[in-house]
Amino acid sequence: MSADGITLDQANKVIAAARKRANKIKVMMNIAVVDAGNNLTAFAKMDNAWQGSIDIAQGKAYSARAFDMSTKDLGAASLPDGPLFGINASNDGKIIIFAGGIPLKDAEGNVVGAIGVSGGSVEQDQDVAEAGVAAFA
Amino acid sequence: MSADGITLDQANKVIAAARKRANKIKVMMNIAVVDAGNNLTAFAKMDNAWQGSIDIAQGKAYSARAFDMSTKDLGAASLPDGPLFGINASNDGKIIIFAGGIPLKDAEGNVVGAIGVSGGSVEQDQDVAEAGVAAFA
Amino acid sequence: MSADGITLDQANKVIAAARKRANKIKVMMNIAVVDAGNNLTAFAKMDNAWQGSIDIAQGKAYSARAFDMSTKDLGAASLPDGPLFGINASNDGKIIIFAGGIPLKDAEGNVVGAIGVSGGSVEQDQDVAEAGVAAFA
Amino acid sequence: MSADGITLDQANKVIAAARKRANKIKVMMNIAVVDAGNNLTAFAKMDNAWQGSIDIAQGKAYSARAFDMSTKDLGAASLPDGPLFGINASNDGKIIIFAGGIPLKDAEGNVVGAIGVSGGSVEQDQDVAEAGVAAFA
């Protein structure tokens, strides 16, 4: 384990698993992994994936680590009636509040990084992010 | 009293009290105190507190001093029907409109600074901010 | 070949070669590859590489594709007497004018992307970037 | 040790030592400490310290961790003839290249955070930052 949390080798393994899943469901994705300090560790833009999702994938990974919860849960908490309504205006606009970002935890449950996926529907993004998480667990 | 309103010693006392309360309710918080001029005076990120809340805690303190009201009240006033609807788009996006930011007043009722807390639910943030205010009063 | 120029597989091959060279000279690097459209395609932060170089590696790749020349040549052209003096103030501050960024060209000489490396001295960055280019040629 | 590197208690100890030194040389300082992930951990603005240095103190701490070297060394490397000339234009303008920022290392030599001091001459800033580092070592 790197002092920064997740290592590059681990991050690449997470991306490879996510990419495999994305190929299976035939949706080209952008996939980002940040480390414990919320710094970009690895990134992959699959061929012809949406260019506009390069930023969103990174934002989802950032958001999942910033609040140690999936962006799906963060989105639910950010609804007009929710406890975190308005949170996406914080952190210089880097917060993304729809599914596709998930924290990566070590065996003790400590958050050591996060994955962010963007390029399809939110259900597809979430599906591919979960495949990445499964490869890390 | 510093010309800037609250002193660093007073700000640290406010943070210490807020931190004590946060430890009691077992939620790791980011706690910021600004002075009368709305400049950051003291800040503490409790171990493993949400990284994304570093910005929000400062934003809450800033917002509470910017409008001399709690961010809880500011949030209520910012609802679509409220008198301040849209205010969170002002001030370069630094305004936060959910609970956890409270002005700090001296014995004469003058606002000399503000505290902002972020890291838990808004109820928890508000609870911890109130503990900080109580230590100042 | 992707419509975007370099493919993800090719970009990963470039990064793998650069990473191998970085390991050989024992300097932990951040390595970025952009495609023909100057969009981030792949990125790797080697364990404990400078965090501040995450941005610079991407800036070098961006700059090399933006002007279709190495950032080393761009730097020389940007000196006070040079034809491009002041160019680093353009493009929202994303232009980097020291060595470590090199365009990636296909067999016909068309620029299809670029690599950017940051984490060591400029000589080391350039050395590692050249190793990445060699793996693509 | 927190998963984030330096703990809040350690950061406060660093700030207390720096503040003691600042009082001794009679210069009011802004003092910031970031953790291993380069996130703000603790901050103190001494009474009547320059408001414009709030941002610079944080920038110095950020820069020292971003490149794992003192901002004094970073400044020397950033001179027109130096290997890192122009680096202060990277990282969204957050890089500061004059003395007062120093990495904080654990017993094994790993960088676990950084201190940034601003409010006096660069010699004074450096002096106070060194007092903070001494309290951590």
Side-chain angles (χ1 to χ4, degrees):
Chain A
M1 181 74 56
S2 153
D4 298 328
I6 195 169
T7 62
L8 176 56
D9 283 338
Q10 290 172 324
N12 280 338
K13 208 168 140 190
V14 166
I15 289 184
R19 192 179 167 190
K20 192 177 169 188
R21 178 69 190 163
N23 273 318
K24 192 166 187 186
I25 64 171
K26 295 185 170 48
V27 183
M28 297 301 96
M29 295 291 192
N30 291 280
I31 310 161
V33 173
V34 295
D35 64 16
N38 223 346
N39 299 297
L40 186 66
T41 300
F43 177 81
K45 177 183 184 291
M46 295 175 69
D47 301 343
N48 300 312
W50 286 340
Q51 293 177 351
S53 281
I54 296 172
D55 177 71
I56 296 174
Q58 293 181 56
K60 285 181 181 176
Y62 177 86
S63 304
R65 172 52 179 147
F67 299 104
D68 290 347
M69 69 175 77
S70 71
T71 54
K72 188 181 177 182
D73 289 346
L74 193 61
S78 305
L79 290 175
D81 283 347
L84 298 177
F85 178 52
I87 205 169
N88 52 317
S90 73
N91 285 263
D92 294 321
K94 284 189 290 184
I95 303 300
I96 302 286
I97 53 172
F98 42 92
I102 307 177
L104 294 165
K105 298 180 184 180
D106 65 15
E108 287 79 40
N110 301 309
V111 178
V112 294
I115 182 175
V117 175
S118 182
S121 68
V122 288
E123 290 79 13
Q124 290 168 329
D125 292 352
Q126 177 71 12
D127 177 25
V128 169
E130 285 173 3
V133 172
F136 183 68
Chain B
M1 181 72 57
S2 152
D4 299 328
I6 194 169
T7 63
L8 175 55
D9 283 337
Q10 290 172 322
N12 280 338
K13 209 168 139 190
V14 167
I15 288 184
R19 194 179 165 189
K20 192 177 169 188
R21 178 70 189 160
N23 273 319
K24 192 165 188 186
I25 64 170
K26 295 185 169 49
V27 183
M28 297 301 95
M29 295 292 192
N30 291 279
I31 310 162
V33 173
V34 295
D35 63 15
N38 221 346
N39 299 298
L40 186 65
T41 299
F43 176 82
K45 177 184 184 288
M46 294 174 70
D47 300 343
N48 299 314
W50 284 343
Q51 294 175 348
S53 281
I54 296 171
D55 176 73
I56 296 175
Q58 293 180 57
K60 286 181 180 176
Y62 177 87
S63 304
R65 172 51 179 150
F67 299 104
D68 289 347
M69 70 175 79
S70 72
T71 54
K72 189 181 176 183
D73 289 347
L74 193 61
S78 305
L79 290 175
D81 283 346
L84 298 177
F85 177 53
I87 203 168
N88 53 318
S90 73
N91 284 263
D92 293 322
K94 286 188 289 186
I95 304 299
I96 303 286
I97 52 172
F98 43 94
I102 308 178
L104 294 165
K105 298 180 183 178
D106 64 16
E108 288 77 41
N110 303 309
V111 178
V112 294
I115 182 175
V117 175
S118 183
S121 69
V122 288
E123 289 80 13
Q124 291 167 329
D125 294 352
Q126 177 72 13
D127 178 25
V128 169
E130 285 173 3
V133 172
F136 183 67
Chain C
M1 182 69 59
S2 153
D4 298 326
I6 195 169
T7 62
L8 175 55
D9 282 339
Q10 290 172 323
N12 280 339
K13 209 167 138 190
V14 167
I15 287 184
R19 194 179 165 188
K20 192 177 169 187
R21 179 68 190 160
N23 273 319
K24 192 166 187 185
I25 64 171
K26 294 185 171 46
V27 183
M28 298 300 95
M29 296 290 192
N30 291 279
I31 310 161
V33 173
V34 296
D35 63 15
N38 220 347
N39 300 297
L40 187 66
T41 299
F43 177 81
K45 177 183 185 291
M46 293 174 70
D47 301 342
N48 300 314
W50 285 342
Q51 293 175 350
S53 281
I54 296 172
D55 177 72
I56 296 175
Q58 293 180 56
K60 285 181 180 176
Y62 178 87
S63 304
R65 173 50 179 149
F67 300 102
D68 289 348
M69 68 176 80
S70 72
T71 54
K72 189 180 176 184
D73 289 346
L74 193 60
S78 305
L79 290 174
D81 283 347
L84 298 177
F85 177 53
I87 203 167
N88 51 320
S90 73
N91 285 264
D92 293 321
K94 286 189 289 185
I95 304 299
I96 303 285
I97 54 172
F98 42 93
I102 308 178
L104 295 165
K105 299 180 182 177
D106 66 14
E108 287 78 39
N110 303 308
V111 178
V112 294
I115 181 174
V117 175
S118 183
S121 69
V122 288
E123 291 78 14
Q124 290 167 330
D125 294 351
Q126 177 73 13
D127 178 24
V128 170
E130 285 174 3
V133 172
F136 183 68
Chain D
M1 182 70 58
S2 152
D4 298 326
I6 195 169
T7 62
L8 175 55
D9 283 338
Q10 291 173 323
N12 281 338
K13 208 168 141 191
V14 167
I15 287 184
R19 194 179 165 189
K20 191 177 169 188
R21 178 71 190 160
N23 273 319
K24 192 166 187 186
I25 64 171
K26 295 184 170 46
V27 183
M28 297 301 95
M29 295 291 192
N30 291 280
I31 310 161
V33 173
V34 296
D35 64 15
N38 222 345
N39 299 297
L40 186 65
T41 299
F43 177 82
K45 176 183 184 289
M46 294 175 70
D47 300 343
N48 300 313
W50 286 341
Q51 292 176 351
S53 281
I54 296 171
D55 177 71
I56 296 175
Q58 293 180 56
K60 285 181 181 176
Y62 177 88
S63 304
R65 172 51 178 148
F67 298 105
D68 291 347
M69 69 174 79
S70 71
T71 54
K72 189 180 176 184
D73 288 347
L74 194 60
S78 305
L79 291 174
D81 282 347
L84 298 178
F85 178 52
I87 204 169
N88 52 320
S90 74
N91 285 263
D92 294 321
K94 284 188 289 183
I95 303 300
I96 303 286
I97 54 172
F98 42 92
I102 307 179
L104 295 165
K105 298 181 183 179
D106 65 15
E108 287 79 40
N110 301 309
V111 178
V112 294
I115 182 175
V117 175
S118 183
S121 69
V122 288
E123 290 78 14
Q124 291 168 329
D125 293 352
Q126 177 71 13
D127 178 24
V128 170
E130 284 173 4
V133 172
F136 183 68

